[in-house]
Amino acid sequence: MRKTLPEKGLGSEEILMKLKEYSSEDVDPFSGRLFTIAFEPGVEELRSVAFEAMKMFAFKNMLDFTEFPSMIRMEKDLVDIATSLMHGDEEVTGTFTFGGTESVFLAVKAARDNFILKKGMITIPEIVMPVTGHPCYDKAAEYMGLKVKRVRIDEESFTADVDAINEAITQNTAMIVASTPNWPLGTIDPVKDLAEVALDKGIWLHVDACVGGFVLPFMKKEGEKIPDFDFRIDGVCSISMDPHKYAYTPIGASIILFRNKSYKFLSQFANLKWPGYPIINPAVLSSRSEALLAAAWATVHFLGEEGYRELARKIINAKNRILKGFRDAGYRVLGEPSVIAAFTSQELNLFRLSDEMAKKGWIIMPQKGIPNMNIPPSLHLTITPIHDQTADAMLEDLKVCTEEVKGTPPSEAEGLLETFGLILSMLAPGEMDISELGKLISEMEKAMEEYGPRIMQVLGLEKGFPKEMGSIFQLLAYLPPEVAEMLSSYIVLEMFHRGI
């Protein structure tokens, strides 16, 4: 039954009780037991300052900066701070957005428009990137009519293969992407080498520093070997970096930097064709609360240079212990980790291991890898300052869970998942044009209508997402990406439709 608006408003106590009930199954983002997307510094006073800033500006709308010029001042300060970290000059400018994907959208729009202005709209512009690049580039391409070409990575360093990037470039290439670091493995792409290719071919190079932008500079000052990846390198046109990751601001804060104002001009949207007020949007969204901007401003000024360096030291300490602990337990590290590390093993079912760790309260993400590109399945750990307090306890549980999984034979459910995956994979051809894609979607719709409820039941999703997600990740790993994307989209659609 659908929920309707209550006839009479609820009291504040009842509202807060209901919200607590809704969040009762949420994991605690402050616990230090998440190695996924919770960027926790372990500084309680910081949260108080950020929340106060949010309350001050929650009902001010960034859409109309003529009414609320405070947003211009706060954004300028944050862009300047980001620019200084990226060694930009006075020509560098930027925009505050609500997330890395939005920042990437603006970079892709600018690169696309730059390409069209140079060559005309005679083809579909292309983005060339390592296979480890974030899916938000595919999303931006889908929204804005580009094509993404993902290429192999170096099999030893697990970073971008410069030769593979160079080989994939054509006259249609509008953008090259480098990650510092990439999300799956935490390795840093060779930006300097890619910039030489970009300059030689006259192509836009975007550096995705959404993860590393606010932490790698401080780790480098603490003695870590971090290669240059910023505006000191000729050829870098834009850089995205997220304060809501390693600047530890509340979620919904990113910055996109452009080497000059003409590049940013291409990223903006303006419309004065209607009879209403002038629309000039520096970002993708129009109406935006100033709350998250103010919280980001408050956070970076609260911590300052000394605070960020102290937190970087904690990350380094935690990372070194985690790397040693995983190696001692028999795991192999993929590449040279930064603030993210990925571990693999040929002896273990890593999906089951992630479930065993979840039973002990540790959230570690299993990753399917790409076997035909020699990227093995792995465990992903995002390491934050709070893990300096919890790493040792996690590693003790890792030893126990590793031995348990080693001694357990494959289950019947694992065999069924593999069989089911093989059956579904037969629906997807290797290469698809529009007609084949339409046929696949039609077949998937029929299959989901018939088998969808059963799939939800088999995966244990009738009452919501379980804490142990290994079987679901394992099923998706067995499927071709096209089928896996459709199946996971169906599951998410059902979960949100049911509200569970």
Side-chain angles (χ1 to χ4, degrees):
M1 179 180 294
R2 289 190 181 277
K3 186 176 180 64
T4 59
L5 192 66
E7 186 173 338
K8 292 185 178 180
L10 305 180
S12 59
E13 288 188 10
E14 186 177 358
I15 288 170
L16 295 177
M17 284 182 61
K18 189 65 177 178
L19 290 174
K20 287 181 180 178
E21 178 187 329
Y22 277 2
S23 65
S24 61
E25 297 179 358
D26 291 354
V27 294
D28 180 2
F30 310 128
S31 66
R33 302 183 75 86
L34 282 72
F35 288 84
T36 50
I37 57 171
F39 297 86
E40 173 54 32
V43 183
E44 289 192 18
E45 187 181 355
L46 173 60
R47 293 200 288 272
S48 299
V49 172
F51 291 154
E52 287 301 315
M54 291 176 75
K55 286 192 292 185
M56 284 179 64
F57 291 89
F59 294 98
K60 295 183 178 182
N61 194 337
M62 295 172 68
L63 170 64
D64 193 344
F65 33 79
T66 65
E67 292 183 20
F68 305 111
S70 55
M71 66 86 48
I72 296 177
R73 296 164 190 147
M74 288 188 289
E75 177 167 307
K76 177 65 165 64
D77 287 347
L78 289 174
V79 167
D80 282 353
I81 290 169
T83 299
S84 69
L85 291 174
M86 295 297 103
H87 296 91
D89 58 23
E90 290 299 318
E91 293 299 311
V92 171
T93 187
T95 300
F96 178 90
T97 73
F98 274 25
T101 295
E102 187 181 2
S103 289
V104 165
F105 266 54
L106 294 177
V108 170
K109 181 186 180 300
R112 182 202 65 178
D113 290 359
N114 181 64
F115 175 86
I116 292 172
L117 288 172
K118 287 181 177 179
K119 298 193 176 183
M121 194 61 177
I122 57 175
T123 184
I124 297 176
E126 295 175 350
I127 301 171
V128 176
M129 60 191 294
V131 71
T132 47
H134 197 279
C136 64
Y137 296 91
D138 301 83
K139 186 176 183 179
E142 190 171 315
Y143 273 60
M144 289 185 271
L146 291 86
K147 178 182 177 181
V148 175
K149 294 168 72 173
R150 291 178 172 269
V151 302
R152 69 180 187 272
I153 57 174
D154 184 274
E155 295 178 11
E156 293 185 5
S157 67
F158 291 93
T159 61
D161 185 321
V162 178
D163 290 336
I165 294 285
N166 201 12
E167 291 168 8
I169 290 172
T170 69
Q171 61 181 0
N172 301 329
T173 305
M175 172 186 269
I176 300 170
V177 177
S179 299
T180 58
N182 64 65
W183 180 260
L185 310 177
T187 54
I188 299 173
D189 288 333
V191 175
K192 187 174 182 180
D193 294 338
L194 291 172
E196 290 177 1
V197 173
L199 282 172
D200 181 58
K201 301 288 179 69
I203 298 171
W204 187 293
L205 174 61
H206 175 72
V207 175
D208 189 329
C210 287
V211 173
F214 279 95
V215 65
L216 296 183
F218 300 110
M219 292 176 70
K220 189 169 187 174
K221 290 179 179 180
E222 294 301 320
E224 292 288 283
K225 294 180 180 179
I226 307 294
D228 290 345
F229 60 87
D230 51 34
F231 286 119
R232 286 173 292 186
I233 300 174
D234 290 339
V236 173
C237 297
S238 53
I239 302 174
S240 53
M241 47 198 299
D242 293 356
H244 70 209
K245 291 187 172 74
Y246 284 98
Y248 314 107
T249 75
I251 305 300
S254 180
I255 293 170
I256 175 67
L257 298 176
F258 296 99
R259 184 172 281 278
N260 56 53
K261 287 181 280 188
S262 64
Y263 285 171
K264 175 176 175 175
F265 183 85
L266 295 175
S267 76
Q268 297 190 158
F269 173 80
N271 190 302
L272 280 75
K273 298 179 178 69
W274 74 323
Y277 59 90
I279 295 285
I280 299 95
N281 296 147
V284 176
L285 303 179
S286 291
S287 287
R288 301 179 290 161
S289 168
E290 273 191 66
L292 293 170
L293 172 64
W297 189 98
T299 299
V300 299
H301 285 84
F302 178 85
L303 287 171
E305 173 90 12
E306 290 183 0
Y308 282 114
R309 290 189 66 164
E310 180 182 352
L311 294 173
R313 288 193 291 272
K314 291 183 178 182
I315 291 172
I316 294 167
N317 289 335
K319 180 180 74 169
N320 290 338
R321 302 205 310 276
I322 288 170
L323 291 176
K324 183 179 185 303
F326 268 84
R327 285 177 173 133
D328 289 347
Y331 295 86
R332 178 167 70 95
V333 183
L334 300 181
E336 187 65 35
S338 52
V339 287
I340 291 171
F343 304 91
T344 191
S345 171
Q346 295 181 336
E347 301 177 14
L348 294 173
N349 182 326
L350 299 177
F351 300 99
R352 184 189 291 180
L353 181 77
S354 73
D355 279 355
E356 293 303 315
M357 291 293 283
K359 291 175 184 177
K360 295 183 178 294
W362 303 104
I363 308 301
I364 296 174
M365 187 73 72
Q367 304 181 128
K368 66 183 183 65
I370 304 178
N372 63 5
M373 287 190 172
N374 292 322
I375 303 175
S378 62
L379 296 172
H380 167 112
L381 279 78
T382 299
I383 302 167
T384 63
I386 193 70
H387 295 138
D388 193 33
Q389 302 175 27
T390 62
D392 295 336
M394 182 272 290
L395 292 170
E396 286 300 316
D397 284 339
L398 175 72
K399 293 177 186 177
V400 174
C401 291
T402 298
E403 294 306 314
E404 287 179 356
V405 173
K406 277 183 180 179
T408 306
S411 66
E412 181 181 0
E414 288 172 14
L416 289 173
L417 285 174
E418 184 173 4
T419 301
F420 183 65
L422 289 172
I423 293 171
L424 279 181
S425 68
M426 294 177 186
L427 292 173
E431 295 290 335
M432 288 186 289
D433 57 21
I434 294 298
S435 62
E436 288 173 329
L437 180 60
K439 182 180 178 182
L440 175 61
I441 291 174
S442 177
E443 290 174 347
M444 284 293 292
E445 286 176 348
K446 293 176 184 176
M448 290 301 99
E449 184 176 343
E450 183 173 355
Y451 300 111
R454 176 61 178 156
I455 292 172
M456 298 287 284
Q457 183 180 10
V458 168
L459 295 177
L461 297 172
E462 309 105 302
K463 297 181 180 180
F465 286 110
K467 291 294 184 288
E468 296 87 39
M469 294 280 290
S471 61
I472 297 172
F473 289 126
Q474 187 170 354
L475 171 60
L476 297 176
Y478 285 134
L479 300 175
E482 297 83 3
V483 176
E485 287 164 2
M486 290 183 182
L487 177 60
S488 55
S489 290
Y490 167 80
I491 290 172
V492 170
L493 187 153
E494 280 293 311
M495 300 296 270
F496 276 81
H497 181 70
R498 300 181 189 188
I500 54 176

